[in-house]
């Protein structure tokens, strides 16, 4: 049953304009963050209890992955009721308390919004199935007759991102579209009732006091007219379409312009962030034009190897693409859908998002620490995924019988190993789940994670946690860092990046050998030990250092 609560008092400093331009935003995956009731599953009570930790870490805002009422066919990205909390996570009262407590600590709250599809248990979809062909409710989704003599073939050749056909046939013979799991039917955004409903959902959560939304599959809401066959990619290019007919259609931008008007009605600069997978950063920039969304994830940066030339190229490209629309670049290294960067970078070649083997974990951690300092030195906003501040690796050896990623159980599509980055994080040295909760954890944690726990790393000046705390404190204290749209590149040897921002210099050595460079000034922070001798500094392999000039 849906409840509506009064808006909480907003105690944040709303006098600082453009807070989101340089914000460091921490992603919480609720089921894996902290378990408040001991059932083995993380929940809102657990998140609420750990808010002081996030305040002390030094982040500005917290993004919560979905906690809505859901059958959990895709870990909550199949929403049955957008105005209710799933009982596994708590209640609307818990959400209200979490928002109030976060604001009292000076933290903003961003919630996930899933507008591309609903759950097949959403009341609209259940009624559409019950009422059969011709039902007005079917027009709110993509129901179509099949091809073939008896309609036995799907309406087109689209495939699900999770593998297999993007269509499922109902008992009455019609087919419905789902770009993800069959339990996630796609909304038809050409229908005015869909647009009206989501404007209402936005207002519901804004009235609850949330500070913004992360928009799931922001690139997918509008499909090409007529739902044409995919055909070959070459054929699509001949038609002048370098994007898929179900992704990144120009029609999505009218939706976001209407949303921006709603966001701007509310005090405190409420924001929306696009999860938009696009073929180029220039097309990503379309989502953050002045009258649309505020930020868009920079997936091109996330997928870049640990290589100086490639990093410089994507940094320059990203800043150049955002500059004409006046939007900040965003930087991210990990999230709940990709292999953690500590594991990706454990490959000697420093390759990107699909490296999943354990590899050289010491190498991976060293590069991950260096990559983090480089990311936090760049102009714009940065995202941190829970547990990366502990240097957690992906869990690469989960038994098949415990996996829950829906794409793992399908023949093709995504690699199906997202569970590895979703294992609950360790808080304490002792306990059955290292302080995650009193009732174990929904995915097994590896032996040895005690040494990676918050408790073990707190106060250790060499720990990854203390590196993150120090980096965020420096970033907050130095006016050159954060917002901006450009960097000055200084001369550097091959494999090394040296960038200046005002009185701040960042040096990133991506090579496997130490390099000797000028000591640019006062050494503020480094991801591993830098030796300074007079006016020279030896920067070790796979190391980033920060200097005050």
């Amino acid at each position: 049953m849906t409840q509506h609560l009064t808006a909480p008092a907003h105690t944040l400093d709303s006098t600082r304009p453009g807070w989101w331009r340089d914000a460091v935003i921490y992603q919480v995956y609720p089921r894996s963050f902290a378990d408040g009731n001991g059932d083995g599953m993380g929940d809102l009570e657990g998140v609420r209890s750990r808010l002081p930790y996030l305040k002390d870490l030094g982040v500005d805002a917290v993004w919560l992955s979905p906690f809505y009422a859901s059958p959990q066919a895709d870990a909550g990205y199949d929403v049955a009721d957008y105005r209710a909390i799933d009982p596994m996570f708590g209640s609307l009262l818990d959400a209200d308390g979490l928002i109030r407590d976060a604001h009292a600590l000076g933290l903003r709250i961003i919630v996930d919004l899933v507008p591309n599809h609903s759950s097949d248990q959403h009341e609209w979809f259940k009624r559409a199935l019950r009422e059969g062909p011709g039902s007005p409710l079917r027009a709110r989704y993509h129901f179509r007759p099949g091809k073939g003599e008896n309609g036995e073939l799907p309406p087109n050749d689209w495939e699900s991102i999770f593998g297999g056909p993007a269509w499922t046939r109902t008992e009455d013979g019609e087919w419905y579209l789902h770009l993800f799991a069959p339990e996630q039917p796609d909304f038809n955004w050409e229908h005015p009732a869909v647009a009206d409903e989501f404007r209402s959902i936005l207002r519901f959560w804004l009235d609850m006091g949330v500070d913004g939304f992360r928009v799931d599959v922001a690139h997918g809401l509008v499909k090409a007219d007529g739902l044409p066959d995919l055909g070959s990619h070459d054929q699509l290019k001949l038609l002048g379409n370098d994007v898929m007919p179900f992704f990144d259609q120009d029609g999505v931008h009218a939706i976001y312009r209407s949303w921006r008007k709603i966001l701007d009605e509310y005090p405190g600069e409420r924001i929306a962030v696009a999860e938009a997978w696009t073929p180029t950063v220039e097309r990503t920039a379309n989502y953050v034009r002045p009258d649309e969304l505020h930020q868009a994830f920079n997936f091109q940066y996330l997928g870049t190897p640990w290589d100086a030339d490639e990093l410089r190229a994507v940094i320059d490209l990203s800043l150049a693409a955002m500059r004409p629309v006046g939007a900040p670049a965003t930087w991210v290294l990990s999230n709940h859908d990709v292999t953690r960067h500590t594991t990706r970078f454990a490959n000697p070649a420093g390759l990107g998002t699909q490296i999943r083997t354990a590899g050289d974990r010491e190498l991976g951690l060293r590069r991950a620490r260096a990559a983090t300092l480089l990311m936090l030195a760049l102009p714009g906003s940065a995202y941190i995924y829970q547990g990366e501040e502990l240097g957690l690796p992906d869990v690469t050896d989960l038994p098949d019988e415990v996996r829950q990623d829906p794409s793992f159980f399908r023949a093709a599509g995504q690699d199906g190993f997202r569970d590895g980055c979703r294992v609950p994080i360790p808080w304490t040295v002792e306990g059955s789940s290292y302080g995650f909760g009193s009732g174990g954890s929904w995915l097994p944690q590896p032996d040895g994670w005690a040494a990676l726990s918050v408790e073990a790393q707190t106060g250790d000046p060499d720990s990854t946690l203390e590196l993150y705390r120090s980096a965020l404190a420096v970033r907050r204290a130095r006016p050159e860092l954060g917002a901006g749209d450009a960097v000055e590149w200084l001369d550097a040897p091959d494999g090394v990046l040296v960038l200046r921002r005002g009185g701040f210099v960042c040096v990133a050595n991506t090579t496997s050998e130490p390099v000797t460079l000028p000591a640019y000034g006062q050494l503020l922070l480094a991801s591993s030990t830098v030796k300074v001798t007079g006016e020279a500094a030896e920067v070790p392999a796979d190391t980033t250092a920060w200097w005050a000039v």
Side-chain angles (χ1 to χ4, degrees):
M1 180 178 178
T2 297
Q3 298 170 280
H4 198 144
L5 304 177
T6 58
H10 206 286
T11 61
L12 293 173
D13 177 10
S14 59
T15 62
R16 185 169 74 93
W19 67 268
W20 43 275
R21 291 185 173 275
D22 62 358
V24 177
I25 299 174
Y26 186 99
Q27 180 189 359
V28 165
Y29 192 67
R31 61 172 53 207
S32 298
F33 190 66
D35 175 13
N37 62 7
D39 66 355
M41 185 69 66
D43 48 39
L44 296 184
E45 180 185 348
V47 176
R48 187 178 180 185
S49 72
R50 298 295 187 178
L51 288 174
Y53 164 79
L54 297 177
K55 172 66 174 178
D56 291 343
L57 183 61
V59 300
D60 300 291
V62 180
W63 154 33
L64 296 165
S65 292
F67 46 65
Y68 307 109
S70 166
Q72 303 295 318
D74 184 25
Y77 284 93
D78 50 316
V79 180
D81 187 342
Y82 290 85
R83 298 177 182 82
I85 307 296
D86 194 280
M88 69 186 294
F89 296 123
S91 67
L92 276 175
L93 289 173
D94 294 318
D96 179 66
L98 190 158
I99 294 167
R100 289 176 183 273
D101 286 0
H103 288 171
L105 290 169
L107 295 169
R108 290 176 165 86
I109 293 293
I110 295 170
V111 299
D112 233 304
L113 187 67
V114 188
N116 179 70
H117 48 262
S118 74
S119 165
D120 62 354
Q121 297 305 302
H122 191 286
E123 188 57 36
W124 283 7
F125 192 76
K126 290 195 297 182
R127 281 185 54 194
L129 289 183
R130 286 197 307 267
E131 294 174 5
S135 165
L137 271 297
R138 292 206 173 190
R140 300 180 185 184
Y141 296 90
H142 293 280
F143 280 87
R144 296 289 188 277
K147 294 181 177 178
E149 185 177 350
N150 298 303
E152 70 278 9
L153 300 176
N156 67 23
D157 64 358
W158 294 3
E159 292 190 357
S160 164
I161 304 302
F162 287 169
W167 296 89
T168 290
R169 198 177 193 187
T170 66
E171 292 183 358
D172 53 50
E174 285 197 327
W175 297 74
Y176 68 87
L177 177 68
H178 52 86
L179 292 182
F180 295 88
E183 296 88 352
Q184 295 169 288
D186 279 45
F187 284 117
N188 174 16
W189 272 87
E190 301 298 324
H191 197 291
V194 176
D196 288 346
E197 172 67 357
F198 274 90
R199 283 191 289 264
S200 173
I201 292 167
L202 288 176
R203 291 187 184 281
F204 177 89
W205 288 103
L206 290 167
D207 289 343
M208 282 278 289
V210 304
D211 301 281
F213 302 90
R214 177 266 191 184
V215 184
D216 184 60
V217 196
H219 55 296
L221 276 58
V222 173
K223 281 67 174 174
D225 288 344
L227 308 184
D229 279 340
L230 181 61
S232 72
H233 192 57
D234 289 341
Q235 288 173 328
L236 289 173
K237 285 186 175 180
L238 289 173
L239 294 172
N241 185 4
D242 63 351
V243 295
M244 297 297 102
F246 46 78
F247 281 155
D248 195 31
Q249 297 293 307
D250 290 339
V252 299
H253 299 290
I255 298 168
Y256 300 135
R257 284 192 289 272
S258 73
W259 289 10
R260 180 60 178 263
K261 292 176 182 177
I262 295 172
L263 292 165
D264 287 348
E265 292 176 12
Y266 285 79
E269 291 193 283
R270 317 293 178 95
I271 71 165
V273 184
E275 185 213 22
W277 292 88
T278 66
T280 65
V281 290
E282 290 82 6
R283 287 199 66 89
T284 300
N286 291 338
Y287 290 78
V288 288
R289 288 176 286 201
D291 60 346
E292 293 192 39
L293 306 181
H294 298 75
Q295 295 181 347
F297 289 127
N298 190 339
F299 292 119
Q300 286 82 3
Y301 184 76
L302 183 151
T304 302
W306 179 240
D307 175 89
D309 290 341
E310 295 198 46
L311 285 165
R312 177 168 173 171
V314 76
I315 291 167
D316 285 343
L317 186 64
S318 300
L319 293 172
M322 296 298 140
R323 203 173 292 126
V325 296
T330 63
W331 313 100
V332 60
L333 290 167
S334 288
N335 64 37
H336 65 292
D337 279 335
V338 301
T339 305
R340 288 184 178 274
H341 62 285
T342 301
T343 296
R344 296 201 313 271
F345 292 152
N347 183 282
L351 299 177
T353 56
Q354 300 307 314
I355 298 299
R356 193 188 312 110
T357 59
D360 183 340
R361 288 188 173 174
E362 182 180 347
L363 173 65
L365 179 59
R366 189 166 67 247
R367 287 174 167 173
R369 288 163 58 97
T372 294
L373 288 195
L374 175 60
M375 176 184 78
L376 292 175
L378 297 175
S381 178
Y383 281 77
I384 295 171
Y385 176 51
Q386 65 176 46
E388 72 172 74
E389 78 277 15
L390 305 177
L392 296 186
D394 248 50
V395 181
T396 58
D397 56 357
L398 286 170
D400 289 355
E401 60 269 19
V402 306
R403 293 188 180 277
Q404 299 191 31
D405 184 347
S407 58
F408 178 77
F409 302 99
R410 298 174 72 85
Q414 291 184 347
D415 60 27
F417 287 87
R418 296 178 298 174
D419 291 318
C421 66
R422 299 175 177 183
V423 174
I425 67 174
W427 292 92
T428 59
V429 172
E430 297 181 348
S432 63
S433 60
Y434 303 112
F436 169 69
S438 60
S441 61
W442 67 282
L443 283 172
Q445 299 157 302
D447 294 336
W449 269 27
L452 298 176
S453 67
V454 173
E455 181 183 9
Q457 296 195 43
T458 295
D460 177 358
D462 296 325
S463 72
T464 301
L465 175 58
E466 294 299 346
L467 177 70
Y468 270 72
R469 286 172 169 162
S470 297
L472 293 176
V474 171
R475 179 183 166 102
R476 188 179 294 272
R478 296 198 67 86
E480 309 99 315
L481 297 180
D485 63 3
V487 300
E488 177 189 358
W489 295 108
L490 305 184
D491 291 339
D494 290 344
V496 179
L497 297 175
V498 182
L499 66 89
R500 182 199 296 269
R501 301 187 63 200
F504 171 90
V505 169
C506 174
V507 174
N509 177 11
T510 71
T511 75
S512 58
E513 300 293 336
V515 295
T516 300
L517 297 166
Y520 292 93
Q522 176 191 359
L523 181 64
L524 297 172
L525 190 64
S527 60
S528 60
T529 302
V530 172
K531 297 178 182 178
V532 179
T533 306
E535 296 182 355
E538 183 181 89
V539 180
D542 300 309
T543 296
T544 298
W546 287 1
W547 304 84
V549 179

